[in-house]
Amino acid sequence: MTGTFVPTYQGLSAVDLVRPAQAPRTACFPFDASGRLAFYRARNAIYHLCRALVEHHGSLTVLVPDYNSGNEILALRAAGARLHYYPIGRRMQLDPEAVERLCARHHPDVLYVIHYVGWPQPMAPLVDLCRRRGMLLIEDCALSLLSETEGRPLGSFGDWSVFCLYKTLPLPNGALLVQNGTRLASLERLPLRDAGSASVVGRTAELVVQRLRGRARLTGAALLAMKRGLGRAAGALDVRRANVGDIGFALDEVDLAMSAVSTRLLERLDCAAIRRARVENYQRLDAELDPAVLRVFPRLPDGVCPLFFPILVPDKQAAARALQQRGIDALEFWNESVESGEEMSDDARFLRAHVLELPIHQDLTPRHLAYMARQVAEVCGRGACSGPAKAGHHVRSVRLQSDLSVVRIEDEAGLTRLQPEWNELLRASRANTPFLTWEWLHAWSEHLRAAAKLRVLCVRSGANLVAVAPLVVRRTAPLGLPRLEFLGTGEAGSDYLDLIARRGSEQDAIDALADALAAEPVALKLDHVPASSLSGQLVDRLTGRGWEPLYLPGGTCPFIRLAGHTWDSYLASVGASHRANVRRRMRTLEREFRVRLERVVTDAERREALQALAAFHEQRFMGRGSTAFRTPALRAFHDAATRRALERGWLRMYVLRLDEAPAAVMYGLSYEGRFYFYQHGFDERYERHSLGLVLMACTIRAALEEGAHTFDMLWGAEAYKWLWARDANELEQIHLFPSDVGGRIQHHTVTSRRTLARLLRQAQIHG
């Protein structure tokens, strides 16, 4: 039992109850809608709306989603509506074309649309469909208060919309029915009655206790126990209460009005601040949550006010129990249908079986969210996916998208055709670095792939690109057995290589890639991989199928945190002797030469700078050949890569000129706020002036002036890098060997070579 409690919903504080009214704070939709009517619960509003439509039309056919809470279905049936169902996909989205086909079959009078946990349905085609077919449109915004799409609030598109207030706001009860178009007079004449003090006071007390539990768990738990005791006593005395948040429908409670307490509290709430807090909490949890935790939604679109953070787990009940034991009151969302179940599609069954809602409401603090991220990772994250399944938490058994296919690209023409999609996918992934851009890897394939054969695996959902595994096949000595490696591995030093997968689709993509690789088993060597990578999760999947993994150190990438620094404040953060040396060398150089740092901006300048850099390397290595430019293929690659980087605005090539002559060249990339120091060189004639040090200082200052938050020195732990950097990213080299004969031979070869290398090093030490 921990001291932290994360409640499902927001609570009430004493301040909320006594704060002066500030009505303008809630002057937003739906609270400013002229055609709004207040009810105790949303299901009551649905019932009365449908009842009025039945009376007006004589009969009513409604097309409803097969993924629903059940309360709206019970209310619609109680009002006399005839229902038909349309399917909801695993992203909680409807398909307008599928809806239109069902409209042609069933000829409904009303289309009933649910916006799930804040995310909008595609309203433009639905509004158009209803207009063309003469249908009425009802928006169910019970889970989507304060959300917007297309520059308009959800609930403003349909003829009517329904909102549940107490799910998003700290109210004991309350719902709104908004009449956007034709107003039904019978609705405005409804005689509603008070729910009674037991219902309102009891729920208000629960909200106060819930907020207190989130801040002082033991005290809150004691008060909760006391409150439950009073509730049981009231039950024994047959005190009637109208509950909220349950599943069911009671005709004798449909005429309940929103309480005066809710009305008073509503006038005291700052809805804009509540919306901001929910968005910030969602984004913070998304950033801190283990990428292995499968999200329902890949991103939070602008305008969405999230009700929860929905994730997918294999066993919802087991995961919820495990989290509740850790103080996290995760919500099992809509477990059962109130109908026979035959109306549900496979996707609706999937959502009912696997969706678990994590709280992100406005009461939660960064401490709550960090704690929740850690606990969810233990229950549902990468660690819970490796080895035997624990308490049903085997995340890899859940697949969000059931229509994924894997397509193999094996020629340059196919790789070229991917260009329009590749970088869009990369930007939507967690692996977004310049060394995984199409421009860099295509140049590498064109000039450095040599005898290796392309095998780029593309995961698609329909026509949409979901993930890419940028691979090549090499033949390994001594038997020429095939091995898969990352495109970009080996010559030219590409760091942070990884699988590329769209955020929110990572786990499905990895499952699909694991299926494809297992179907045609070939050993893998994945080099220069970040320590926390999707490649590591692919290892988990294939290890579970009998493959043998081998993790080796892949190198170190020192980096400098520049955020919040000026040049002077950064320089003050390095060692005193190094700081003094930098200043002295720069003063000396400026005293003896006219010094100018020139950024390459034209293609002619790029060619000249690259030629000078290659010459400096050749000069430095005294005819032995530069490690960076030693072959025509390497020089051709760098020419193509820098040309493309310049065209895209990523190239940061600087020439340090002394008396206008090029004396040193820096070759770097600026990408997504991060400067990547790739290569540099200087004229050996100026060796006594420490041009490498001066060039590095000038480049770091230029990166700061450009607003870079990080200066990444890339692979290599050379001593000079640690004069500038204090932090480092670790890279891994991951081998995976299938269980067949070829895999066992390659495993034995790799381990034998490592053993031999270790023995040779020991012999040199002792020799």
Side-chain angles (χ1 to χ4, degrees), residues 508-582:
D508 282 349
I510 291 168
D511 282 342
L513 289 170
D515 290 344
L517 292 168
E520 191 175 341
V522 176
L524 287 97
K525 177 188 176 184
L526 306 178
D527 207 354
H528 286 236
V529 173
S532 58
S533 66
L534 287 181
S535 300
Q537 296 178 44
L538 179 65
V539 173
D540 292 341
R541 302 301 200 273
L542 292 175
T543 301
R545 301 175 186 224
W547 292 48
E548 186 69 28
L550 176 63
Y551 286 90
L552 300 175
T556 299
C557 296
F559 69 90
I560 307 166
R561 300 180 192 272
L562 297 180
H565 274 302
T566 63
W567 167 246
D568 289 334
S569 69
Y570 164 67
L571 199 57
S573 72
V574 304
S577 61
H578 180 55
R579 179 169 62 250
N581 191 33
V582 170

Side-chain angles (χ1 to χ4, degrees), residues 395-409:
V395 176
R396 66 174 173 235
S397 64
V398 180
R399 182 167 292 186
L400 182 59
Q401 293 173 268
S402 58
D403 60 340
L404 295 183
S405 61
V406 179
V407 179
R408 184 188 293 183
I409 304 296

Side-chain angles (χ1 to χ4, degrees), residues 438-448 636-637 640-641 644:
W438 181 91
E439 289 77 4
W440 183 272
L441 292 180
H442 186 272
W444 190 95
S445 176
E446 192 173 26
H447 298 288
L448 297 175
F637 161 74
R644 293 172 178 181

Side-chain angles (χ1 to χ4, degrees), residues 302-334:
D302 292 341
V304 168
C305 178
L307 183 63
F308 297 110
F309 192 115
I311 64 172
L312 293 166
V313 294
D315 186 332
K316 181 163 57 174
Q317 288 75 29
R321 284 195 303 271
L323 290 173
Q324 286 162 4
Q325 290 169 0
R326 297 161 185 250
I328 298 168
D329 208 5
L331 182 66
E332 298 178 44
F333 206 59
W334 297 354

Side-chain angles (χ1 to χ4, degrees), residues 564-747:
H565 274 302
T566 63
W567 167 246
D568 289 334
S569 69
Y570 164 67
L571 199 57
S573 72
V574 304
S577 61
H578 180 55
R579 179 169 62 250
N581 191 33
V582 170
R583 288 172 172 163
R584 183 174 66 255
R585 295 293 184 179
M586 295 182 78
R587 283 196 305 268
T588 300
L589 203 65
E590 290 168 352
R591 187 171 57 247
E592 297 186 19
F593 301 95
R594 296 189 309 277
V595 180
R596 181 163 64 90
L597 185 72
E598 175 185 86
R599 176 177 157 185
V600 165
V601 294
T602 69
D603 193 58
E605 291 170 347
R606 176 194 65 82
R607 292 195 303 272
E608 180 186 357
L610 191 62
Q611 186 176 2
L613 179 59
F616 293 154
H617 273 250
E618 186 68 23
Q619 178 192 58
R620 180 181 179 186
F621 288 91
M622 301 296 291
R624 289 177 287 122
S626 164
T627 56
F629 302 95
R630 67 176 179 267
T631 66
L634 275 166
R635 292 191 290 273
F637 161 74
H638 286 299
D639 180 66
T642 55
R643 174 173 48 80
R644 293 172 178 181
L646 180 64
E647 291 169 353
R648 297 303 300 269
W650 305 329
L651 184 65
R652 292 299 180 271
M653 188 170 271
Y654 294 98
V655 179
L656 183 67
R657 295 186 178 273
L658 303 182
D659 293 340
E660 296 307 313
V665 176
M666 169 65 72
Y667 173 2
L669 300 164
S670 179
Y671 189 87
E672 298 293 327
R674 197 177 189 102
F675 185 99
Y676 294 87
F677 158 48
Y678 183 76
Q679 190 57 266
H680 70 337
F682 56 88
D683 192 327
E684 290 286 312
R685 293 176 297 175
Y686 301 98
E687 184 174 7
R688 71 181 183 86
H689 293 285
S690 297
L691 285 193
L693 179 147
V694 172
L695 180 62
M696 188 67 70
C698 292
T699 307
I700 293 171
R701 182 161 59 186
L704 277 163
E705 290 171 352
E706 195 174 359
H709 58 72
T710 304
F711 191 96
D712 197 323
M713 307 186 87
L714 297 177
W715 184 89
E718 295 91 340
Y720 77 88
K721 292 184 179 180
W722 299 112
L723 296 173
W724 304 97
R726 295 182 177 178
D727 298 289
N729 292 316
E730 298 299 327
L731 302 179
E732 293 180 327
Q733 182 184 105
I734 305 174
H735 293 260
L736 265 171
F737 306 99
S739 57
D740 60 11
V741 173
R744 291 197 296 272
I745 291 172
Q746 292 191 67
H747 190 192

